[in-house]
Amino acid sequence: MTPMSTTGLVVVVLAATVALLAPPSMASVTTLWPQPQNVRSGTDSGVTLAKESFKMVAAPGCVSSALLSGAMERYMDIVFDFGAGGAAAVGAEAPGSDFSTLSVLEVCVASSDESLGLETDETYKLEIDGSATASLQAESVYGAMRGLETFAQLVEYGYTNDSYAIAATPITIGDSPAYPWRGLLVDTARHYMPADFLLHVLDAMAANKLNVLHWHIVDAQSFGFVVAEYPELSKYGAWHPTAIFTQAEIAAVVAHGKSLGIRVVPEFDGPGHAAAWGAAPDLFDVVAHCPAYEHNINNIPLNPASNVTFDVLAAVYQAAAKVFTDDFLHIGGDEVVQGCWTDDPTIAAWMREHNLNTIQVYQLFENAMHAIARTPAVNKSVVVWEEVFDNALHIPMNTIVEVWKSASVLKDVLGAGYRGLLAAPFYLDKQIPGLGQGENVPTTSYEWVDTWKSFYGVDMTANLTSAEAKLLLGGEGAMWAEQVMDTNFDSRVWPRNSAVAERLWSSPLVNDPVAATPRLNAQSCRMQRRGIMCGPVAPSFCLLPSDVNRHPLSA
């Protein structure tokens, strides 16, 4: 992406008056996460702000919208996370400081286009001049959201004088993401996590400038997606009658994602990992039945010999299209145990009748799933796992291939002309996530949280030509949920996935884990202040609002 101009973009003006207030204890411009592409800052001066005298408003003559208003309201709460601040600090001694007071944040959005997709412009430019004014510029409301996140991270609370300040002005930040697809895979099939918890996950993602929630909503173990045409899918396939996702709940997740500039891409894995699709008595024949393989529930694929199978697939995709508004649908394609088809007598007879081998059956499913996705009632572009490519199946060239088994496959995918996503080195469930990913990436860690260094050390474009690199859309951290649910999700994902977020946003030259450690600790603290139960990566102290309430500053 190219640096944006300052013409016709989001403008933020912060008026200032002089007050003598101490700067925060943390030089916040050095702790931004993910690290912006370009940062310039000063030294001794700064600005202060207090909730009672500071406001964010849409600038006259610019685009105003509910999305922008909601973002400003949200960031007002984030900025002033310790309360109003300011009043107790007026007149406080601050020898040698030269701080002025911000009173207004004017936001001007240039474009009224609020569509959210792969081409969304998230660039922004933030300028804070401590002596007078500041500006935040972005073409889209989503770029404004990324700039507001950076602005919020710059604001630090001072406990000793109950004040908020931005130090080290003047500050100029020019920023844009390295990749347009920066995702987190959340698996609600292995363990159910309710929709309201997914709203919390989205909030955490926004704090790290991630922009795609890859929702792995069904798998062999459970089918919690409610389909009106086939209610028995979730009635019998879900873990429990309460462990489901209604259309209204999904719509709320999608809407919250859009309010944060985060796309929600669902995955309905097929033809493998399909046992839960056939849990209902009248859908028994939708899946294969293979005694030699049924010891592992993950081995059961869909049944190609039944027309009902494809009717159900169409109904599921159509139901998904009504509530998931993103352009993309992930249709899986991984770990298809082809031997299960030949071990099922009915399917084996059907294959002989039609002179088909297992790869041809695999191809038949890919053809059908892609065709259904292209129908007017669905109208989605498709993402698949790498096995579809590994098995040399024929798929449309506009398919996105997600590489999860080995990063070395990525070059082959991109070299063949497909767009690609990289998940292989970003598996959050693995004890040795960097294994095989390169000599500069640690393969194991004494303390498991230090696996973030494996994610951080990934070279996204290793061994790629410039033409291949242009087809790499980004990647995803993947939190498979065999041992994860909402009660331990935060501590398993964060702040380790923050390392993935920076790898997908920042310059590839920002790759030193030693230099990143204090910034990541600061980011972890910010997330804790927002109610995200993540932990530190090194010894430190994180001041929380509860600490101040427990030990208020003496008068």
Side-chain angles (χ1 to χ4, degrees):
M1 303 183 76
T2 57
M4 65 182 196
S5 70
T6 58
T7 304
L9 303 175
V10 175
V11 178
V12 179
V13 179
L14 299 96
T17 59
V18 175
L20 293 177
L21 296 176
S25 58
M26 183 183 295
S28 53
V29 75
T30 67
T31 67
L32 296 174
W33 197 283
Q35 184 163 303
Q37 302 292 344
N38 297 285
V39 180
R40 296 198 306 271
S41 63
T43 52
D44 297 330
S45 61
V47 292
T48 64
L49 57 165
K51 192 169 188 177
E52 292 182 357
S53 59
F54 177 80
K55 59 183 179 180
M56 298 181 183
V57 297
C62 300
V63 175
S64 180
S65 69
L67 275 179
L68 180 59
S69 297
M72 292 189 295
E73 181 178 353
R74 181 171 64 253
Y75 277 103
M76 283 290 290
D77 290 338
I78 290 172
V79 166
F80 298 103
D81 49 359
F82 285 87
V90 175
E93 292 183 1
S97 65
D98 182 17
F99 276 61
S100 53
T101 303
L102 303 178
S103 60
V104 176
L105 173 59
E106 291 188 347
V107 182
C108 176
V109 174
S111 173
S112 60
D113 183 3
E114 293 183 348
S115 59
L116 182 60
L118 196 56
E119 305 300 323
T120 295
D121 187 343
E122 298 175 275
T123 60
Y124 69 90
K125 183 177 182 180
L126 177 63
E127 294 179 291
I128 302 176
D129 183 344
S131 64
T133 62
S135 67
L136 170 63
Q137 305 169 3
E139 177 64 25
S140 74
V141 66
Y142 305 110
M145 291 178 188
R146 307 301 175 233
L148 286 170
E149 175 61 38
T150 297
F151 177 81
Q153 291 188 16
L154 288 170
V155 178
E156 289 293 331
Y157 174 72
Y159 170 70
T160 58
N161 54 22
D162 187 31
S163 67
Y164 297 89
I166 299 174
T169 58
I171 296 170
T172 301
I173 296 173
D175 202 11
S176 61
Y179 295 99
W181 190 303
R182 307 179 309 280
L184 171 63
L185 181 150
V186 177
D187 172 10
T188 61
R190 271 54 177 264
H191 277 96
Y192 174 75
M193 288 178 267
D196 58 357
F197 180 75
L198 295 181
L199 306 184
H200 168 86
V201 173
L202 288 165
D203 290 338
M205 293 175 64
N208 292 274
K209 297 191 174 82
L210 293 169
N211 70 347
V212 178
L213 172 61
H214 174 171
W215 188 351
H216 190 84
I217 194 169
V218 301
D219 207 287
Q221 290 77 12
S222 73
F223 195 110
F225 178 64
V226 176
V227 180
E229 190 173 346
Y230 289 95
E232 62 269 39
L233 279 168
S234 57
K235 179 180 179 180
Y236 291 91
W239 284 112
H240 186 270
T242 65
I244 60 173
F245 298 100
T246 66
Q247 295 276 303
E249 288 174 323
I250 293 170
V253 172
V254 172
H256 190 61
K258 184 170 185 178
S259 77
L260 302 170
I262 298 174
R263 300 160 47 211
V264 181
V265 177
E267 180 186 350
F268 295 90
D269 199 358
H273 288 269
W277 294 64
D282 57 348
L283 295 179
F284 180 81
D285 289 335
V286 166
V287 299
H289 299 281
C290 44
Y293 295 90
E294 288 178 344
H295 62 279
N296 184 343
I297 195 173
N298 293 301
N299 290 342
I300 309 304
L302 293 169
N303 179 2
S306 171
N307 290 333
V308 176
T309 300
F310 301 96
D311 294 338
V312 172
L313 269 171
V316 169
Y317 286 11
Q318 289 167 15
K322 290 177 181 178
V323 68
F324 289 104
T325 59
D326 196 74
D327 294 336
F328 288 90
L329 175 69
H330 203 308
I331 63 172
D334 64 310
E335 297 182 320
V336 180
V337 180
Q338 300 172 45
C340 183
W341 286 325
T342 56
D343 194 54
D344 181 315
T346 300
I347 296 175
W350 175 86
M351 291 173 63
R352 288 192 298 271
E353 179 185 352
H354 292 84
N355 195 28
L356 296 173
N357 60 33
T358 56
I359 283 291
Q360 290 171 321
V361 173
Y362 198 169
Q363 180 70 68
L364 180 151
F365 267 111
E366 285 302 314
N367 293 345
M369 293 188 296
H370 281 264
I372 295 169
R374 291 194 300 269
T375 61
V378 181
N379 193 29
K380 300 290 186 184
S381 298
V382 168
V383 186
V384 298
W385 291 113
E386 71 170 78
E387 285 94 327
V388 176
F389 176 84
D390 293 340
N391 283 279
L393 302 183
H394 300 290
I395 52 176
M397 290 305 300
N398 66 347
T399 304
I400 295 174
V401 178
E402 184 164 11
V403 174
W404 73 274
K405 296 178 73 175
S406 172
S408 63
V409 176
L410 182 65
K411 182 175 177 63
D412 297 331
V413 168
L414 304 176
Y418 291 101
R419 293 174 296 173
L421 296 172
L422 183 60
F426 301 135
Y427 265 43
L428 294 155
D429 59 327
K430 293 175 99 175
Q431 290 183 311
I432 312 177
L435 187 63
Q437 299 306 323
E439 61 181 9
N440 295 323
V441 181
T443 58
T444 191
S445 301
Y446 178 78
E447 295 183 281
W448 71 272
V449 175
D450 279 343
T451 53
W452 73 267
K453 297 175 184 177
S454 294
F455 309 141
Y456 198 72
V458 170
D459 182 352
M460 294 288 293
T461 58
N463 303 316
L464 299 183
T465 66
S466 58
E468 291 164 351
K470 290 178 181 179
L471 292 173
L472 178 57
L473 300 177
E476 298 181 335
M479 187 67 263
W480 298 103
E482 284 86 351
Q483 296 182 341
V484 171
M485 57 189 297
D486 52 330
T487 55
N488 67 341
F489 183 92
D490 279 1
S491 63
R492 287 290 299 271
V493 173
W494 310 108
R496 296 188 305 141
N497 198 59
S498 298
V500 180
E502 180 152 293
R503 183 52 46 241
L504 297 174
W505 180 283
S506 303
S507 165
L509 300 178
V510 181
N511 59 9
D512 181 356
V514 175
T517 295
R519 286 194 301 110
L520 187 53
N521 242 4
Q523 174 69 353
S524 176
C525 183
R526 281 189 289 260
M527 288 193 286
Q528 290 175 53
R529 290 175 179 174
R530 301 186 194 186
I532 302 159
M533 296 295 101
C534 61
V537 295
S540 59
F541 174 74
C542 176
L543 182 67
L544 302 175
S546 58
D547 298 320
V548 176
N549 294 335
R550 185 169 57 251
H551 297 292
L553 185 67
S554 300

